C-alpha cells in the first residue's frame, strides 16, 4: 500500500475535521508529489490535505489552472472553501504566487477572480498599509459587482467593506455602494455575527475599532 493510500484510509472517516487535517499536514510537511497523488484521488478531504502540503514553489499558473478546474466540479460552498484554503495556505506565502493573484482580476475563472478580490481585502484587514490602488478597485467594484457570480460578488463586497473600515476617505462611498446595490440587505444574520450589508458591516467594525 502506498503512503497516499494509507493516508486516504486514515482520513476517510466522515468525522475527520479540518484540525485533524492540519495536524496530519504538519507531520507530513511539504511534499508536492504526495499532494498531487492525494489530489488525484478526487476525495474532498484528501484535496483539503493536499492543499496544505503542496510546494508553493511549484505552483505555476498551469498547475493552479488544473486545480481550479477540479475545484469547479464541487458546489459553490465546497469550491470556494478549497480556493480560499489554497490562497491562505499557499498563494499568500510566495512572491511568485502573489504576482499571479494580482493578475487575476479579469481571469476567465470565477475562482481566480474571487482570489484577486479576497487578497485585496486581506491586505487591508490584516493591518497592512493599504496599497495605492483603492480608487481603481472601487471603480471596478462599482462597475461589476451587481453582474458578478455570487462567489466573486461576495469577495468584491468584502473588499469594499475593508476599504470602508480602514480607509476613512472612501468610507461614505463604500456605504453608498451598499445602499445603491442593496446586496445582502435582507440576509438573516445570526447573533454576534457581522452582516455582509455594507452600511451595517462598516458601521459595526468602525465602532469596534473606536472602543
Amino acid at each position: 500500500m502506498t503512503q497516499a493510500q494509507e493516508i486516504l484510509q486514515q482520513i476517510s472517516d466522515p468525522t475527520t475535521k479540518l484540525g485533524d487535517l492540519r495536524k496530519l499536514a504538519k507531520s507530513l510537511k511539504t511534499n508536492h508529489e504526495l499532494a498531487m497523488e492525494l489530489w488525484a484521488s478526487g476525495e474532498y478531504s484528501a484535496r483539503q490535505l493536499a492543499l496544505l502540503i503542496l510546494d508553493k514553489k511549484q505552483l505555476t499558473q498551469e498547475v493552479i489552472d488544473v486545480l481550479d478546474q477540479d475545484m469547479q466540479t464541487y458546489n459553490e460552498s465546497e469550491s470556494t472553501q478549497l480556493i480560499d484554503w489554497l490562497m491562505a495556505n499557499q498563494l499568500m506565502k510566495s512572491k511568485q504566487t502573489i504576482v499571479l493573484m494580482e493578475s487575476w482580476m479579469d481571469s476567465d475563472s470565477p475562482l481566480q477572480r474571487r482570489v484577486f478580490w479576497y487578497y485585496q481585502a486581506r491586505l487591508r484587514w490584516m493591518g497592512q498599509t493599504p496599497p495605492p490602488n483603492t480608487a481603481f478597485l472601487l471603480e471596478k467594484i462599482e462597475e461589476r459587482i451587481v453582474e458578478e457570480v455570487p462567489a466573486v460578488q461576495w469577495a468584491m463586497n468584502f473588499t469594499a467593506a475593508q476599504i470602508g473600515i480602514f480607509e476613512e476617505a472612501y468610507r461614505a462611498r463604500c456605504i453608498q455602494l451598499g445602499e445603491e446595490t442593496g446586496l445582502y440587505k435582507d440576509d438573516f444574520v445570526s447573533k454576534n455575527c457581522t452582516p455582509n450589508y455594507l452600511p451595517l458591516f462598516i458601521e459595526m467594525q468602525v465602532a469596534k475599532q473606536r472602543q
Side-chain angles (χ1 to χ4, degrees), residues 23-52:
K23 288 180 183 178
L24 182 54
K26 191 172 182 180
S27 67
L28 293 171
K29 302 181 180 178
T30 300
N31 188 329
H32 196 79
E33 183 178 350
L34 176 60
M36 297 310 291
E37 283 187 63
L38 291 170
W39 187 269
S41 73
E43 296 294 329
Y44 190 74
S45 58
R47 287 181 164 178
Q48 289 176 305
L49 177 59
L51 294 177
L52 295 176

PDB file of all heavy atoms in Angstrom, residues 23-52:
ATOM      1  N   LYS A  23      -3.128  18.879  11.581  1.00  0.00           N
ATOM      2  CA  LYS A  23      -2.144  18.122  12.363  1.00  0.00           C
ATOM      3  C   LYS A  23      -1.400  17.133  11.485  1.00  0.00           C
ATOM      4  O   LYS A  23      -0.171  16.991  11.587  1.00  0.00           O
ATOM      5  CB  LYS A  23      -2.854  17.382  13.502  1.00  0.00           C
ATOM      6  CG  LYS A  23      -3.333  18.275  14.621  1.00  0.00           C
ATOM      7  CD  LYS A  23      -4.028  17.455  15.704  1.00  0.00           C
ATOM      8  CE  LYS A  23      -4.571  18.348  16.808  1.00  0.00           C
ATOM      9  NZ  LYS A  23      -5.300  17.552  17.842  1.00  0.00           N
ATOM     10  N   LEU A  24      -2.136  16.451  10.622  1.00  0.00           N
ATOM     11  CA  LEU A  24      -1.510  15.482   9.722  1.00  0.00           C
ATOM     12  C   LEU A  24      -0.568  16.182   8.758  1.00  0.00           C
ATOM     13  O   LEU A  24       0.551  15.708   8.503  1.00  0.00           O
ATOM     14  CB  LEU A  24      -2.595  14.719   8.959  1.00  0.00           C
ATOM     15  CG  LEU A  24      -2.132  13.628   7.995  1.00  0.00           C
ATOM     16  CD1 LEU A  24      -1.224  12.624   8.695  1.00  0.00           C
ATOM     17  CD2 LEU A  24      -3.333  12.921   7.378  1.00  0.00           C
ATOM     18  N   ALA A  25      -0.996  17.322   8.240  1.00  0.00           N
ATOM     19  CA  ALA A  25      -0.151  18.073   7.305  1.00  0.00           C
ATOM     20  C   ALA A  25       1.152  18.513   7.972  1.00  0.00           C
ATOM     21  O   ALA A  25       2.216  18.497   7.349  1.00  0.00           O
ATOM     22  CB  ALA A  25      -0.907  19.288   6.786  1.00  0.00           C
ATOM     23  N   LYS A  26       1.057  18.883   9.233  1.00  0.00           N
ATOM     24  CA  LYS A  26       2.248  19.313   9.964  1.00  0.00           C
ATOM     25  C   LYS A  26       3.262  18.173  10.073  1.00  0.00           C
ATOM     26  O   LYS A  26       4.478  18.384   9.981  1.00  0.00           O
ATOM     27  CB  LYS A  26       1.852  19.807  11.357  1.00  0.00           C
ATOM     28  CG  LYS A  26       2.960  20.516  12.097  1.00  0.00           C
ATOM     29  CD  LYS A  26       2.439  21.147  13.385  1.00  0.00           C
ATOM     30  CE  LYS A  26       3.549  21.899  14.106  1.00  0.00           C
ATOM     31  NZ  LYS A  26       3.067  22.525  15.369  1.00  0.00           N
ATOM     32  N   SER A  27       2.760  16.954  10.247  1.00  0.00           N
ATOM     33  CA  SER A  27       3.664  15.805  10.347  1.00  0.00           C
ATOM     34  C   SER A  27       4.224  15.404   8.987  1.00  0.00           C
ATOM     35  O   SER A  27       5.358  14.931   8.878  1.00  0.00           O
ATOM     36  CB  SER A  27       2.936  14.617  10.985  1.00  0.00           C
ATOM     37  OG  SER A  27       1.914  14.124  10.130  1.00  0.00           O
ATOM     38  N   LEU A  28       3.442  15.601   7.933  1.00  0.00           N
ATOM     39  CA  LEU A  28       3.889  15.235   6.590  1.00  0.00           C
ATOM     40  C   LEU A  28       4.854  16.259   5.998  1.00  0.00           C
ATOM     41  O   LEU A  28       5.726  15.933   5.198  1.00  0.00           O
ATOM     42  CB  LEU A  28       2.674  15.097   5.658  1.00  0.00           C
ATOM     43  CG  LEU A  28       1.720  13.949   5.953  1.00  0.00           C
ATOM     44  CD1 LEU A  28       0.465  14.078   5.091  1.00  0.00           C
ATOM     45  CD2 LEU A  28       2.396  12.603   5.712  1.00  0.00           C
ATOM     46  N   LYS A  29       4.663  17.528   6.389  1.00  0.00           N
ATOM     47  CA  LYS A  29       5.461  18.645   5.869  1.00  0.00           C
ATOM     48  C   LYS A  29       5.236  18.801   4.358  1.00  0.00           C
ATOM     49  O   LYS A  29       4.361  18.179   3.772  1.00  0.00           O
ATOM     50  CB  LYS A  29       6.933  18.471   6.221  1.00  0.00           C
ATOM     51  CG  LYS A  29       7.159  18.373   7.728  1.00  0.00           C
ATOM     52  CD  LYS A  29       8.610  18.228   8.087  1.00  0.00           C
ATOM     53  CE  LYS A  29       8.764  18.132   9.610  1.00  0.00           C
ATOM     54  NZ  LYS A  29      10.163  17.944  10.031  1.00  0.00           N
ATOM     55  N   THR A  30       6.023  19.651   3.737  1.00  0.00           N
ATOM     56  CA  THR A  30       5.846  19.897   2.300  1.00  0.00           C
ATOM     57  C   THR A  30       6.219  18.650   1.500  1.00  0.00           C
ATOM     58  O   THR A  30       7.315  18.111   1.652  1.00  0.00           O
ATOM     59  CB  THR A  30       6.713  21.080   1.842  1.00  0.00           C
ATOM     60  OG1 THR A  30       6.318  22.247   2.567  1.00  0.00           O
ATOM     61  CG2 THR A  30       6.548  21.334   0.350  1.00  0.00           C
ATOM     62  N   ASN A  31       5.294  18.209   0.664  1.00  0.00           N
ATOM     63  CA  ASN A  31       5.541  17.024  -0.162  1.00  0.00           C
ATOM     64  C   ASN A  31       4.661  17.147  -1.398  1.00  0.00           C
ATOM     65  O   ASN A  31       3.522  16.680  -1.405  1.00  0.00           O
ATOM     66  CB  ASN A  31       5.237  15.748   0.622  1.00  0.00           C
ATOM     67  CG  ASN A  31       5.660  14.505  -0.113  1.00  0.00           C
ATOM     68  OD1 ASN A  31       5.648  14.448  -1.343  1.00  0.00           O
ATOM     69  ND2 ASN A  31       6.046  13.468   0.632  1.00  0.00           N
ATOM     70  N   HIS A  32       5.189  17.779  -2.426  1.00  0.00           N
ATOM     71  CA  HIS A  32       4.378  18.100  -3.594  1.00  0.00           C
ATOM     72  C   HIS A  32       3.901  16.842  -4.325  1.00  0.00           C
ATOM     73  O   HIS A  32       2.738  16.777  -4.756  1.00  0.00           O
ATOM     74  CB  HIS A  32       5.186  18.977  -4.561  1.00  0.00           C
ATOM     75  CG  HIS A  32       4.340  19.658  -5.595  1.00  0.00           C
ATOM     76  ND1 HIS A  32       3.606  20.787  -5.323  1.00  0.00           N
ATOM     77  CD2 HIS A  32       4.102  19.361  -6.901  1.00  0.00           C
ATOM     78  CE1 HIS A  32       2.959  21.159  -6.413  1.00  0.00           C
ATOM     79  NE2 HIS A  32       3.236  20.305  -7.387  1.00  0.00           N
ATOM     80  N   GLU A  33       4.764  15.866  -4.442  1.00  0.00           N
ATOM     81  CA  GLU A  33       4.390  14.635  -5.148  1.00  0.00           C
ATOM     82  C   GLU A  33       3.247  13.930  -4.433  1.00  0.00           C
ATOM     83  O   GLU A  33       2.266  13.496  -5.065  1.00  0.00           O
ATOM     84  CB  GLU A  33       5.597  13.700  -5.260  1.00  0.00           C
ATOM     85  CG  GLU A  33       5.297  12.427  -6.045  1.00  0.00           C
ATOM     86  CD  GLU A  33       6.519  11.531  -6.192  1.00  0.00           C
ATOM     87  OE1 GLU A  33       7.639  11.977  -5.855  1.00  0.00           O
ATOM     88  OE2 GLU A  33       6.348  10.386  -6.646  1.00  0.00           O
ATOM     89  N   LEU A  34       3.349  13.818  -3.110  1.00  0.00           N
ATOM     90  CA  LEU A  34       2.287  13.194  -2.320  1.00  0.00           C
ATOM     91  C   LEU A  34       1.001  14.025  -2.427  1.00  0.00           C
ATOM     92  O   LEU A  34      -0.099  13.467  -2.550  1.00  0.00           O
ATOM     93  CB  LEU A  34       2.714  13.070  -0.855  1.00  0.00           C
ATOM     94  CG  LEU A  34       1.671  12.530   0.116  1.00  0.00           C
ATOM     95  CD1 LEU A  34       1.220  11.131  -0.289  1.00  0.00           C
ATOM     96  CD2 LEU A  34       2.230  12.527   1.545  1.00  0.00           C
ATOM     97  N   ALA A  35       1.145  15.345  -2.392  1.00  0.00           N
ATOM     98  CA  ALA A  35      -0.024  16.218  -2.503  1.00  0.00           C
ATOM     99  C   ALA A  35      -0.777  15.965  -3.802  1.00  0.00           C
ATOM    100  O   ALA A  35      -2.012  15.876  -3.814  1.00  0.00           O
ATOM    101  CB  ALA A  35       0.412  17.682  -2.422  1.00  0.00           C
ATOM    102  N   MET A  36      -0.044  15.821  -4.883  1.00  0.00           N
ATOM    103  CA  MET A  36      -0.699  15.610  -6.176  1.00  0.00           C
ATOM    104  C   MET A  36      -1.340  14.225  -6.256  1.00  0.00           C
ATOM    105  O   MET A  36      -2.372  14.045  -6.914  1.00  0.00           O
ATOM    106  CB  MET A  36       0.294  15.824  -7.314  1.00  0.00           C
ATOM    107  CG  MET A  36       0.846  17.259  -7.400  1.00  0.00           C
ATOM    108  SD  MET A  36      -0.432  18.551  -7.376  1.00  0.00           S
ATOM    109  CE  MET A  36      -1.221  18.296  -8.968  1.00  0.00           C
ATOM    110  N   GLU A  37      -0.748  13.247  -5.590  1.00  0.00           N
ATOM    111  CA  GLU A  37      -1.368  11.922  -5.531  1.00  0.00           C
ATOM    112  C   GLU A  37      -2.688  11.980  -4.769  1.00  0.00           C
ATOM    113  O   GLU A  37      -3.692  11.393  -5.189  1.00  0.00           O
ATOM    114  CB  GLU A  37      -0.427  10.926  -4.834  1.00  0.00           C
ATOM    115  CG  GLU A  37       0.723  10.426  -5.684  1.00  0.00           C
ATOM    116  CD  GLU A  37       1.501   9.331  -4.973  1.00  0.00           C
ATOM    117  OE1 GLU A  37       0.897   8.269  -4.707  1.00  0.00           O
ATOM    118  OE2 GLU A  37       2.680   9.543  -4.662  1.00  0.00           O
ATOM    119  N   LEU A  38      -2.667  12.687  -3.645  1.00  0.00           N
ATOM    120  CA  LEU A  38      -3.884  12.833  -2.857  1.00  0.00           C
ATOM    121  C   LEU A  38      -4.938  13.595  -3.647  1.00  0.00           C
ATOM    122  O   LEU A  38      -6.118  13.244  -3.644  1.00  0.00           O
ATOM    123  CB  LEU A  38      -3.574  13.567  -1.544  1.00  0.00           C
ATOM    124  CG  LEU A  38      -2.719  12.800  -0.530  1.00  0.00           C
ATOM    125  CD1 LEU A  38      -2.283  13.718   0.603  1.00  0.00           C
ATOM    126  CD2 LEU A  38      -3.493  11.601   0.020  1.00  0.00           C
ATOM    127  N   TRP A  39      -4.507  14.620  -4.345  1.00  0.00           N
ATOM    128  CA  TRP A  39      -5.441  15.421  -5.149  1.00  0.00           C
ATOM    129  C   TRP A  39      -6.094  14.551  -6.230  1.00  0.00           C
ATOM    130  O   TRP A  39      -7.294  14.642  -6.487  1.00  0.00           O
ATOM    131  CB  TRP A  39      -4.705  16.599  -5.778  1.00  0.00           C
ATOM    132  CG  TRP A  39      -5.641  17.548  -6.466  1.00  0.00           C
ATOM    133  CD1 TRP A  39      -6.036  17.541  -7.767  1.00  0.00           C
ATOM    134  CD2 TRP A  39      -6.352  18.637  -5.855  1.00  0.00           C
ATOM    135  NE1 TRP A  39      -6.931  18.548  -8.019  1.00  0.00           N
ATOM    136  CE2 TRP A  39      -7.140  19.237  -6.858  1.00  0.00           C
ATOM    137  CE3 TRP A  39      -6.387  19.170  -4.562  1.00  0.00           C
ATOM    138  CZ2 TRP A  39      -7.960  20.341  -6.608  1.00  0.00           C
ATOM    139  CZ3 TRP A  39      -7.202  20.262  -4.313  1.00  0.00           C
ATOM    140  CH2 TRP A  39      -7.971  20.834  -5.324  1.00  0.00           C
ATOM    141  N   ALA A  40      -5.290  13.713  -6.847  1.00  0.00           N
ATOM    142  CA  ALA A  40      -5.784  12.868  -7.941  1.00  0.00           C
ATOM    143  C   ALA A  40      -6.828  11.859  -7.473  1.00  0.00           C
ATOM    144  O   ALA A  40      -7.585  11.324  -8.293  1.00  0.00           O
ATOM    145  CB  ALA A  40      -4.623  12.134  -8.602  1.00  0.00           C
ATOM    146  N   SER A  41      -6.910  11.609  -6.177  1.00  0.00           N
ATOM    147  CA  SER A  41      -7.896  10.661  -5.660  1.00  0.00           C
ATOM    148  C   SER A  41      -9.320  11.176  -5.847  1.00  0.00           C
ATOM    149  O   SER A  41     -10.266  10.395  -5.878  1.00  0.00           O
ATOM    150  CB  SER A  41      -7.648  10.402  -4.167  1.00  0.00           C
ATOM    151  OG  SER A  41      -8.046  11.529  -3.392  1.00  0.00           O
ATOM    152  N   GLY A  42      -9.471  12.501  -5.938  1.00  0.00           N
ATOM    153  CA  GLY A  42     -10.798  13.081  -6.091  1.00  0.00           C
ATOM    154  C   GLY A  42     -11.572  13.209  -4.800  1.00  0.00           C
ATOM    155  O   GLY A  42     -12.680  13.759  -4.788  1.00  0.00           O
ATOM    156  N   GLU A  43     -11.022  12.719  -3.698  1.00  0.00           N
ATOM    157  CA  GLU A  43     -11.704  12.799  -2.402  1.00  0.00           C
ATOM    158  C   GLU A  43     -11.554  14.204  -1.820  1.00  0.00           C
ATOM    159  O   GLU A  43     -10.460  14.767  -1.816  1.00  0.00           O
ATOM    160  CB  GLU A  43     -11.105  11.773  -1.424  1.00  0.00           C
ATOM    161  CG  GLU A  43     -11.298  10.327  -1.842  1.00  0.00           C
ATOM    162  CD  GLU A  43     -12.769   9.927  -1.824  1.00  0.00           C
ATOM    163  OE1 GLU A  43     -13.521  10.478  -0.996  1.00  0.00           O
ATOM    164  OE2 GLU A  43     -13.170   9.070  -2.635  1.00  0.00           O
ATOM    165  N   TYR A  44     -12.655  14.743  -1.318  1.00  0.00           N
ATOM    166  CA  TYR A  44     -12.645  16.143  -0.857  1.00  0.00           C
ATOM    167  C   TYR A  44     -11.663  16.365   0.291  1.00  0.00           C
ATOM    168  O   TYR A  44     -10.858  17.304   0.258  1.00  0.00           O
ATOM    169  CB  TYR A  44     -14.055  16.556  -0.429  1.00  0.00           C
ATOM    170  CG  TYR A  44     -14.186  18.042  -0.170  1.00  0.00           C
ATOM    171  CD1 TYR A  44     -14.220  18.960  -1.212  1.00  0.00           C
ATOM    172  CD2 TYR A  44     -14.278  18.524   1.126  1.00  0.00           C
ATOM    173  CE1 TYR A  44     -14.329  20.313  -0.983  1.00  0.00           C
ATOM    174  CE2 TYR A  44     -14.394  19.882   1.367  1.00  0.00           C
ATOM    175  CZ  TYR A  44     -14.432  20.773   0.312  1.00  0.00           C
ATOM    176  OH  TYR A  44     -14.536  22.118   0.557  1.00  0.00           O
ATOM    177  N   SER A  45     -11.702  15.504   1.306  1.00  0.00           N
ATOM    178  CA  SER A  45     -10.798  15.679   2.447  1.00  0.00           C
ATOM    179  C   SER A  45      -9.345  15.505   2.022  1.00  0.00           C
ATOM    180  O   SER A  45      -8.446  16.196   2.529  1.00  0.00           O
ATOM    181  CB  SER A  45     -11.143  14.703   3.570  1.00  0.00           C
ATOM    182  OG  SER A  45     -11.074  13.364   3.118  1.00  0.00           O
ATOM    183  N   ALA A  46      -9.101  14.608   1.076  1.00  0.00           N
ATOM    184  CA  ALA A  46      -7.738  14.413   0.579  1.00  0.00           C
ATOM    185  C   ALA A  46      -7.260  15.655  -0.155  1.00  0.00           C
ATOM    186  O   ALA A  46      -6.079  16.038  -0.071  1.00  0.00           O
ATOM    187  CB  ALA A  46      -7.692  13.198  -0.346  1.00  0.00           C
ATOM    188  N   ARG A  47      -8.161  16.304  -0.864  1.00  0.00           N
ATOM    189  CA  ARG A  47      -7.791  17.525  -1.575  1.00  0.00           C
ATOM    190  C   ARG A  47      -7.542  18.673  -0.594  1.00  0.00           C
ATOM    191  O   ARG A  47      -6.648  19.500  -0.810  1.00  0.00           O
ATOM    192  CB  ARG A  47      -8.866  17.870  -2.601  1.00  0.00           C
ATOM    193  CG  ARG A  47      -8.802  16.909  -3.787  1.00  0.00           C
ATOM    194  CD  ARG A  47      -9.816  17.188  -4.866  1.00  0.00           C
ATOM    195  NE  ARG A  47      -9.420  16.477  -6.091  1.00  0.00           N
ATOM    196  CZ  ARG A  47     -10.118  16.472  -7.214  1.00  0.00           C
ATOM    197  NH1 ARG A  47     -11.275  17.140  -7.291  1.00  0.00           N
ATOM    198  NH2 ARG A  47      -9.674  15.813  -8.275  1.00  0.00           N
ATOM    199  N   GLN A  48      -8.310  18.716   0.482  1.00  0.00           N
ATOM    200  CA  GLN A  48      -8.035  19.717   1.515  1.00  0.00           C
ATOM    201  C   GLN A  48      -6.624  19.514   2.084  1.00  0.00           C
ATOM    202  O   GLN A  48      -5.868  20.479   2.264  1.00  0.00           O
ATOM    203  CB  GLN A  48      -9.070  19.614   2.640  1.00  0.00           C
ATOM    204  CG  GLN A  48     -10.455  20.091   2.250  1.00  0.00           C
ATOM    205  CD  GLN A  48     -11.447  19.880   3.374  1.00  0.00           C
ATOM    206  OE1 GLN A  48     -11.601  18.756   3.877  1.00  0.00           O
ATOM    207  NE2 GLN A  48     -12.120  20.932   3.781  1.00  0.00           N
ATOM    208  N   LEU A  49      -6.291  18.266   2.380  1.00  0.00           N
ATOM    209  CA  LEU A  49      -4.965  17.958   2.906  1.00  0.00           C
ATOM    210  C   LEU A  49      -3.892  18.290   1.878  1.00  0.00           C
ATOM    211  O   LEU A  49      -2.840  18.861   2.221  1.00  0.00           O
ATOM    212  CB  LEU A  49      -4.895  16.483   3.294  1.00  0.00           C
ATOM    213  CG  LEU A  49      -3.538  15.969   3.794  1.00  0.00           C
ATOM    214  CD1 LEU A  49      -3.069  16.734   5.028  1.00  0.00           C
ATOM    215  CD2 LEU A  49      -3.615  14.461   4.089  1.00  0.00           C
ATOM    216  N   ALA A  50      -4.139  17.955   0.637  1.00  0.00           N
ATOM    217  CA  ALA A  50      -3.153  18.219  -0.420  1.00  0.00           C
ATOM    218  C   ALA A  50      -2.797  19.700  -0.495  1.00  0.00           C
ATOM    219  O   ALA A  50      -1.624  20.059  -0.687  1.00  0.00           O
ATOM    220  CB  ALA A  50      -3.698  17.747  -1.767  1.00  0.00           C
ATOM    221  N   LEU A  51      -3.783  20.551  -0.316  1.00  0.00           N
ATOM    222  CA  LEU A  51      -3.529  21.990  -0.409  1.00  0.00           C
ATOM    223  C   LEU A  51      -2.614  22.491   0.705  1.00  0.00           C
ATOM    224  O   LEU A  51      -1.984  23.536   0.570  1.00  0.00           O
ATOM    225  CB  LEU A  51      -4.861  22.759  -0.368  1.00  0.00           C
ATOM    226  CG  LEU A  51      -5.782  22.530  -1.568  1.00  0.00           C
ATOM    227  CD1 LEU A  51      -7.094  23.270  -1.376  1.00  0.00           C
ATOM    228  CD2 LEU A  51      -5.108  22.945  -2.871  1.00  0.00           C
ATOM    229  N   LEU A  52      -2.530  21.726   1.786  1.00  0.00           N
ATOM    230  CA  LEU A  52      -1.668  22.119   2.897  1.00  0.00           C
ATOM    231  C   LEU A  52      -0.214  21.693   2.704  1.00  0.00           C
ATOM    232  O   LEU A  52       0.683  22.293   3.298  1.00  0.00           O
ATOM    233  CB  LEU A  52      -2.191  21.513   4.205  1.00  0.00           C
ATOM    234  CG  LEU A  52      -3.554  22.002   4.687  1.00  0.00           C
ATOM    235  CD1 LEU A  52      -3.964  21.231   5.933  1.00  0.00           C
ATOM    236  CD2 LEU A  52      -3.533  23.490   4.964  1.00  0.00           C
TER     237      LEU A  52
END
